[in-house]
Amino acid sequence: MIGTVSAEGDGGGKVFGVSKPAALFALLVTSPGSRCTRKEIAEVLWEGNENAGRLVDRAVADLRKQLGPQVVPHGGRSGYCMLRLPEGGVDLFRFRDRVARAAGLNYPEQFEQLSAALEEWDGGEPLRGLTESGFQLRREELRAELMAAVCARLNAAWRSRKVKWLQEETEKWFERAPELPQIFGFYLRAHDYLPECRREPLIKDWESRHGKPDAELQSVIDEVRGVAHRPAGTLLPPVPDQLPGSSRRPIGQDELIHGLAEAVCEQQDVGNLALVLISGMAGVGKSTVANHLARRLHERFPDGVLHAKLNGFADGDARPAEADEILDGFLATLPPYTTVTGPESKSNALRSALAHRSVLIVLDDALSAQQVLPLLPGDGTCAVIITSRNDLLRLQSERKVLFRKMEPLREADALEVLQEKVSVADRANYAQAFRDLVRLCGQLPLALAVVARLLEGGARPLRALPALVREMEEERAKLDTLHLPEHELSVRAALNCSVRVLGEEARLLLWQLAIHPGPNASWEAVMDLGRAVGEGARTDRALVELVAANLVEVQGDRYGLHDLVRAFARQYVQPGSDGEAADIKSATVRQVLEHQLHNVRACDRVLDRERTLPLGEPDRVTVTDPADPGEAMKFLDEEYAVVQQGIRLAIDQGNERYEWLLPMALVTYQWRRRLLDDALRNLRYAVEAAEPTASPVDCAMVHRMLAGTQWRRGEYDAAVGHLRRAVRLSEEDRSEKGRLSLARTLHRLGITLRKQGDRTGAEEALSQALELCREVSALVGEAAALNALGALHLDQGDHEQALRRCADALGVVERTAERSGLADVLFTLAKVHLARSERDEAVSLYRRACDIYREQGNWPNEDKARLLFADVLVSTGETEEAVRELERVIVLRELMGGEGVREVRELLEGLR
């Protein structure tokens, strides 16, 4: 009925659309008691036809035939036609029943009940398609009934604070029925965040189209304008409304505001005080969110809104407000007005005045719990919204708090802040520049507001955006750019207010964290920073203070600085004199690099048990102790970005020890994660740093690792050049250490020459490497040389010799604990057995090799082995297992950057 007419009987008969039986059904359903006289039927369905009796009989008979005599019983001589409808069998009746039930419920329950009622309606015309004039009035009545339910649901949503839903729903209904005052009123309420420059033209346009607002709509307009509206001649008790206006829109914060509004309403509904604490770093938008949250909750608190700026982190000479002063202001607005003296008496008087009131209090920019606690009501239905740059841990420990920590905006929301008044065309033309500015502002609302003001005020035309980006890329210039004191917008000033209240140790640690290369640090790394200035430092307490002050960001168990905080701390938080600061900085840098070097090396020892590095013992740093390669790789996954920055720091500082040792300790991990560009860049610096300071054998090792990286990149000619240099360096040392270095270099040279197709040179180098390894009893190197020789014989088609070499390699490597070397031998041996058509043996060996590579976290080798293994499985008819292997290959390739994924997907599609 609420749409196109359609009915179906138990026997499967149907009436539908605009047929006369369907029209008769609609007429009966919309008539009182679902019955009409034959005359009424004729007047509606056959208007003007005085001889319609036979037509009525036929329509009734058709309807009875389709729906059955139980639904359309015979009327006998009564002259009536009626319906006996099953309970709940008609959408219109279900709709009316749910609307009636909603009337006695609370607002959230009303919303659910009305939503269920309106699910019966598809939004189109009721009694759709029925053209008889008698249906016109009924259609209008049904439409009015449906719109009343729509408005009732909007009201229930508004009262229940379903803000996001309301915004979307009023957009839809305002487009469909803009003339309805109620719809426009709910649209204005749902979009009360609109700035005046957008809201007022909207109201004026509505008035010009639809006339003067009725009293209800005018009240809503006054409400969103912030104008108190009272009927003429009404005397009301004074109700404080101290909430200040706000021109900023809390972009990206709808979810936060909505969640807090619901939480406050829940507490109020059960008679509890709702205590909201919104914390976050300077400039993150706490006050704007608190203001809009208070506006959203305004109607829930009939006894008014109190507001106080506590100036906890005010700029300049302003001092934090005393609780005593704030209490005087609050008590002056709440009858019975009191003249008590003393902070404790005033606090008691405030609690007494609020005991039987429902008041919303906003305490903006609190410094400490001590400043806030005297201003809080006791139990009851009041609510308090507190903003602070500090987490106010004491307050959270003493009172039940709805605590939310605000973070910088998501990129899309940050872009909206900058582009709010920019045309679509200009957004597209300067898309990259806008993204760069969002990044350079760290997505911090205050910084974004400064840039937006620069663009809005014409100080920076859009064509100058690339120049603005270049200016802000320079760290020392960034904070100057984000400083507009004439508009009371300054990132530098805001951060200064946060830092100046810190204790001495917290300030020092903040400065050290700014010197730390970032982007973040583990707990152990932060604690080690304190040891740079002496063993007595209470670094743990200082870190707790910085986290609570929202100057240090916590992500999991790692600690970092926002880019703007880092820039500020480097420039403006220098401890002591220039000389003292230089000494502390030097010690801090050394401590950072020493911590990184020994921790990376601890992991590298697990990944490559054969390599030695001249590190010495750790000096006052905490060192991890990974139990296995998986744990070592996981540790380095977390630390990798930090260590890369550490290497850059060592290079910038010209610290040769860390400049070559850190890349050497990291390179095995980089090979296994296929981070070859980073490895190549690091090792080129490492070669330059090692040559003048390291021993010949250590220099040979650096050249060998650089060659190994180039080998993995397919740059074999360049690799050979570095290996030739490593051979000469190794030959300078006649000791056992020098001969072992030479053996390892010759092994790497042999496998590189094999890649170049120089089989003779490869065999010569590998044979020398094998002999040297046997001389110095280097079992791992011996197995690697034997394995490489086996691969060389396989290339030549000498399968028997290849099998013997690989079998010998397997026997040697199994006497060691070297799992990576074992996997390499198993992989080569599998290829040999496959070449000999011994597929079962090949399958077993491939499977073992793949498992070890996975255990070792060696993604490139696992990828290569599983791809070949899948091909063997297909040839043996084991398609399902081949599919699983290829699925793992896709995962590995996506982890390594995505190269070659499409080809593997095509292979998979061919198997499925």
Side-chain angles (χ1 to χ4, degrees):
M1 293 296 296
I2 315 180
T4 301
V5 176
S6 174
E8 182 175 348
D10 290 340
K14 295 181 181 178
V15 295
F16 180 80
V18 297
S19 67
K20 288 301 182 185
L24 174 59
F25 180 80
L27 180 62
L28 293 171
V29 168
T30 55
S31 297
S34 299
R35 71 177 193 166
C36 291
T37 65
R38 295 168 59 81
K39 181 180 179 183
E40 289 170 337
I41 295 171
E43 287 174 350
V44 173
L45 300 190
W46 288 277
E47 185 179 4
N49 188 338
E50 296 180 358
N51 301 310
R54 191 170 297 174
L55 297 173
V56 173
D57 290 342
R58 185 185 302 166
V60 172
D62 287 345
L63 186 61
R64 183 179 297 118
K65 180 180 178 181
Q66 296 300 325
L67 303 185
Q70 295 83 7
V71 176
V72 190
H74 289 278
R77 297 181 180 178
S78 65
Y80 281 95
C81 180
M82 64 182 298
L83 297 176
R84 289 178 179 167
L85 298 166
E87 186 176 351
V90 179
D91 56 2
L92 178 59
F93 296 167
R94 292 195 299 270
F95 165 79
R96 287 173 172 168
D97 179 61
R98 285 173 173 147
V99 169
R101 277 190 278 168
L105 303 175
N106 62 35
Y107 289 122
E109 292 170 339
Q110 277 186 27
F111 176 80
E112 297 301 328
Q113 195 66 245
L114 291 167
S115 295
L118 287 165
E119 283 177 7
E120 303 290 348
W121 183 30
D122 63 5
E125 282 289 310
L127 308 178
R128 194 176 306 152
L130 298 179
T131 58
E132 292 85 353
S133 61
F135 284 115
Q136 191 60 36
L137 179 59
R138 298 180 187 227
R139 185 180 290 113
E140 292 296 330
E141 290 172 346
L142 286 176
R143 188 185 294 118
E145 196 174 340
L146 290 164
M147 288 308 300
V150 167
C151 292
R153 180 167 67 154
L154 293 175
N155 183 61
W158 171 250
R159 300 290 182 176
S160 303
R161 305 301 165 189
K162 298 184 181 296
V163 177
K164 190 169 184 180
W165 180 92
L166 196 65
Q167 288 170 350
E168 294 172 356
E169 195 71 6
T170 54
E171 287 276 4
K172 179 178 76 175
W173 281 108
F174 186 48
E175 183 177 339
R176 289 176 58 176
E179 73 284 356
L180 295 180
Q182 276 187 288
I183 295 295
F184 185 49
F186 283 116
Y187 178 87
L188 289 176
R189 278 177 163 160
H191 296 77
D192 66 347
Y193 57 80
L194 290 174
E196 183 179 351
C197 62
R198 291 178 60 187
R199 182 187 65 228
E200 289 306 314
L202 197 65
I203 294 172
K204 289 178 180 178
D205 180 66
W206 193 92
E207 292 175 343
S208 68
R209 291 172 183 268
H210 309 296
K212 184 178 179 180
D214 60 21
E216 184 178 350
L217 177 56
Q218 186 61 54
S219 176
V220 174
I221 292 172
D222 290 342
E223 177 187 318
V224 298
R225 284 172 170 168
V227 178
H229 183 70
R230 298 180 184 177
T234 303
L235 294 176
L236 297 176
V239 174
D241 188 1
Q242 299 178 350
L243 197 63
S246 175
S247 58
R248 290 190 192 176
R249 182 161 67 96
I251 293 174
Q253 304 297 348
D254 286 350
E255 187 176 341
L256 172 63
I257 294 171
H258 175 66
L260 284 172
E262 284 199 332
V264 170
C265 292
E266 287 174 9
Q267 291 299 310
Q268 189 187 41
D269 287 344
V270 295
N272 291 338
L273 170 70
L275 187 55
V276 175
L277 171 59
I278 303 171
S279 82
M281 68 176 291
V284 81
K286 302 177 293 296
S287 297
T288 302
V289 165
N291 190 293
H292 281 262
L293 173 61
R295 289 194 176 280
R296 188 158 294 178
L297 292 168
H298 189 282
E299 284 194 353
R300 299 277 303 205
F301 297 91
D303 297 315
V305 179
L306 300 175
H307 181 278
K309 285 283 290 182
L310 301 188
N311 294 329
F313 298 88
D315 193 12
D317 297 329
R319 58 176 179 80
E322 297 288 343
D324 198 56
E325 301 168 1
I326 304 299
L327 286 167
D328 285 340
F330 284 176
L331 290 171
T333 66
L334 297 171
Y337 309 109
T338 180
T339 56
V340 297
T341 59
E344 187 174 346
S345 297
K346 292 177 183 179
S347 184
N348 291 335
L350 178 67
R351 284 194 292 274
S352 298
L354 296 175
H356 302 292
R357 284 185 169 93
S358 187
V359 172
L360 175 63
I361 302 175
V362 180
L363 303 175
D364 190 30
D365 195 26
L367 175 64
S368 64
Q370 183 178 357
Q371 190 184 28
V372 167
L373 284 167
L375 307 176
L376 301 183
D379 296 331
T381 57
C382 292
V384 184
I385 303 170
I386 304 162
T387 72
S388 179
R389 300 184 193 183
N390 196 292
D391 288 350
L392 304 185
L393 299 179
R394 178 186 164 192
L395 177 67
Q396 293 191 56
S397 69
E398 294 186 13
R399 304 293 290 264
K400 181 181 178 182
V401 174
L402 297 169
F403 175 63
R404 299 292 186 274
K405 179 173 289 197
M406 289 182 61
E407 305 291 346
L409 298 176
R410 294 184 292 264
E411 183 184 31
D413 295 322
L415 280 169
E416 186 179 347
V417 174
L418 291 185
Q419 298 175 338
E420 190 173 12
K421 299 182 180 179
V422 176
S423 70
V424 173
D426 284 335
R427 292 183 188 191
N429 291 336
Y430 299 100
Q432 186 57 54
F434 277 119
R435 285 195 294 271
D436 288 340
L437 287 171
V438 163
R439 170 179 56 82
L440 291 166
C441 289
Q443 297 163 220
L444 184 70
L446 175 59
L448 295 165
V450 175
V451 174
R453 181 59 61 91
L454 287 173
L455 300 178
E456 181 184 343
R460 304 288 180 121
L462 288 177
R463 63 179 179 274
L465 281 181
L468 179 59
V469 170
R470 290 192 297 272
E471 181 181 316
M472 289 185 61
E473 291 279 9
E474 172 58 45
E475 184 178 89
R476 297 193 70 84
K478 185 187 297 187
L479 293 175
D480 289 337
T481 303
L482 298 176
H483 180 63
L484 293 178
E486 65 274 18
H487 296 290
E488 296 185 354
L489 293 172
S490 172
V491 172
R492 184 170 66 208
L495 291 174
N496 183 60
C497 294
S498 292
V499 170
R500 69 182 183 181
V501 300
L502 294 175
E504 184 178 340
E505 287 188 331
R507 285 174 60 88
L508 173 59
L509 181 59
L510 178 65
W511 184 69
Q512 288 182 296
L513 285 168
I515 294 170
H516 187 285
N520 51 49
S522 65
W523 167 267
E524 292 79 10
V526 178
M527 293 304 103
D528 279 351
L529 287 179
R531 298 188 177 100
V533 293
E535 293 295 335
R538 291 306 307 267
T539 311
D540 53 347
R541 288 187 180 179
L543 182 59
V544 168
E545 183 177 350
L546 290 174
V547 170
N550 288 291
L551 287 165
V552 166
E553 300 173 341
V554 184
Q555 297 176 345
D557 59 353
R558 303 189 68 80
Y559 304 85
L561 298 181
H562 188 279
D563 286 347
L564 294 174
V565 174
R566 183 183 300 277
F568 178 84
R570 283 177 176 170
Q571 295 179 53
Y572 300 105
V573 191
Q574 178 175 296
S577 66
D578 290 346
E580 291 172 327
D583 290 343
I584 297 173
K585 181 176 180 179
S586 176
T588 298
V589 169
R590 181 193 172 281
Q591 194 76 353
V592 168
L593 297 176
E594 191 74 4
H595 175 92
Q596 290 187 355
L597 178 59
H598 284 281
N599 278 279
V600 174
R601 178 56 183 145
C603 295
D604 187 54
R605 285 195 191 95
V606 178
L607 302 179
D608 185 347
R609 299 178 184 277
E610 297 300 304
R611 184 161 68 241
T612 58
L613 289 173
L615 266 65
E617 291 301 313
D619 183 14
R620 296 182 302 163
V621 294
T622 307
V623 181
T624 188
D625 184 21
D628 52 50
E631 195 173 311
M633 294 297 284
K634 181 180 178 182
F635 180 88
L636 291 174
D637 284 339
E638 293 179 348
E639 293 288 338
Y640 182 70
V642 183
V643 177
Q644 278 291 101
Q645 291 298 321
I647 292 171
R648 299 276 79 74
L649 178 62
I651 293 167
D652 292 343
Q653 298 282 326
N655 195 319
E656 292 174 340
R657 166 178 164 82
Y658 303 103
E659 198 173 342
W660 78 270
L661 284 173
L662 259 177
M664 288 298 297
L666 190 61
V667 69
T668 304
Y669 168 83
Q670 290 173 316
W671 287 353
R672 294 189 182 186
R673 288 294 186 255
R674 199 162 179 78
L675 298 163
L676 301 181
D677 290 346
D678 289 348
L680 186 64
R681 186 165 48 250
N682 293 347
L683 289 167
R684 282 174 174 161
Y685 283 108
V687 165
E688 294 180 12
E691 289 278 8
T693 58
S695 70
V697 168
D698 288 332
C699 287
M701 177 172 53
V702 181
H703 281 282
R704 192 163 60 247
M705 295 301 103
L706 179 54
T709 304
Q710 292 168 326
W711 184 88
R712 286 165 171 80
R713 289 165 56 91
E715 300 167 356
Y716 303 120
D717 291 343
V720 167
H722 283 286
L723 289 169
R724 299 289 188 199
R725 172 66 176 153
V727 166
R728 293 192 294 272
L729 287 165
S730 299
E731 289 174 340
E732 292 180 21
D733 190 331
R734 301 293 183 179
S735 68
E736 182 177 309
K737 184 178 178 182
R739 282 183 291 156
L740 179 58
S741 173
L742 181 58
R744 289 172 176 167
T745 305
L746 288 169
H747 167 258
R748 174 63 61 185
L749 179 61
I751 63 176
T752 306
L753 293 172
R754 175 190 168 220
K755 285 288 187 180
Q756 291 183 306
D758 183 0
R759 292 175 179 167
T760 302
E763 186 168 9
E764 181 182 344
L766 290 170
S767 297
Q768 291 181 46
L770 177 61
E771 183 179 344
L772 284 166
C773 285
R774 284 172 172 169
E775 283 181 18
V776 298
S777 301
L779 295 181
V780 173
E782 180 183 347
L786 286 166
N787 185 53
L789 285 166
L792 195 59
H793 293 308
L794 179 61
D795 293 343
Q796 298 166 343
D798 188 350
H799 300 160
E800 294 302 322
Q801 183 66 3
L803 185 61
R804 281 194 292 273
R805 288 292 197 181
C806 289
D808 290 344
L810 185 61
V812 173
V813 79
E814 284 180 337
R815 290 155 54 193
T816 73
E818 180 50 47
R819 299 279 289 169
S820 292
L822 174 60
D824 292 341
V825 174
L826 293 172
F827 180 53
T828 307
L829 197 53
K831 291 191 287 184
V832 173
H833 280 291
L834 186 62
R836 289 162 55 90
S837 299
E838 297 163 351
R839 294 182 184 274
D840 290 345
E841 290 87 346
V843 166
S844 176
L845 291 165
Y846 271 127
R847 188 174 285 119
R848 288 178 62 194
C850 290
D851 289 345
I852 294 173
Y853 283 138
R854 183 167 188 170
E855 161 205 305
Q856 297 288 308
N858 194 331
W859 291 347
N861 283 8
E862 185 188 349
D863 167 79
K864 178 173 62 175
R866 288 193 188 277
L867 192 61
L868 292 174
F869 183 27
D871 190 49
V872 176
L873 290 169
V874 170
S875 69
T876 60
E878 299 175 73
T879 306
E880 287 187 11
E881 189 173 357
V883 166
R884 288 195 295 272
E885 295 300 318
L886 290 176
E887 287 173 341
R888 173 63 181 167
V889 170
I890 288 175
V891 170
L892 290 167
R893 293 195 174 185
E894 287 175 341
L895 288 170
M896 293 187 290
E899 184 179 349
V901 168
R902 186 177 66 181
E903 293 86 340
V904 181
R905 289 194 190 281
E906 290 173 356
L907 288 174
L908 264 177
E909 291 302 317
L911 294 177
R912 286 171 171 164

